[in-house]
Amino acid sequence: MAKHRRRHSRKDIGDYAEDLGTFLGNVEANVKDWSAERNQIGERLLHIRDSATRLLTELGHQFEEGRKKAAKRGRPAGKKRAKSRCKICGTVGHNARGHAKWKAAKKK
């Protein structure tokens, strides 16, 4: 079988070139839109990152201040806690809630 070559007319080639130009124009427009969106997203992400960094820094300073205040509270290191005294009889070793129980045990 013989191969037949179809000769393209100038009109066909012109239509093809026009379609290709339209296609490439659409691609270029889409790329510009995507590029603009990408830049906007990048700017938003930078803003979020900067805000998060600022907030974490503030939180770190607040944490340090709270930790220093907590370290100052309470008794100094190495000191023992004073033994509690009963509010009823003033003796050491039981509290007001356990006074009756303590008194009963002492009588036995």
Side-chain angles (χ1 to χ4, degrees):
M1 236 206 265
K3 292 185 179 179
H4 295 285
R5 287 184 129 190
R6 181 176 172 211
R7 297 201 180 238
H8 296 286
S9 67
R10 288 185 185 253
K11 184 179 177 188
D12 290 342
I13 293 174
D15 289 343
Y16 175 73
E18 185 178 334
D19 290 343
L20 182 61
T22 302
F23 172 74
L24 291 176
N26 289 337
V27 168
E28 183 181 10
N30 286 336
V31 167
K32 285 181 181 179
D33 288 344
W34 293 335
S35 179
E37 283 181 37
R38 182 177 175 265
N39 290 337
Q40 288 175 350
I41 291 170
E43 289 171 8
R44 288 181 191 159
L45 288 174
L46 287 175
H47 178 70
I48 291 169
R49 183 203 61 192
D50 294 341
S51 296
T53 301
R54 182 178 44 81
L55 291 171
L56 287 172
T57 302
E58 288 176 16
L59 184 63
H61 290 303
Q62 290 174 358
F63 176 76
E64 280 297 315
E65 290 171 6
R67 191 176 63 80
K68 287 177 184 176
K69 285 181 184 177
K72 289 180 182 178
R73 278 189 252 139
R75 63 182 178 276
K79 282 213 167 190
K80 291 187 177 181
R81 188 173 70 171
K83 294 192 176 189
S84 62
R85 294 190 172 269
C86 177
K87 292 180 183 176
I88 297 171
C89 65
T91 59
V92 176
H94 64 275
N95 57 20
R97 266 192 287 167
H99 183 76
K101 196 178 195 181
W102 172 78
K103 200 169 185 181
K106 190 176 178 184
K107 286 183 181 180
K108 288 185 182 180

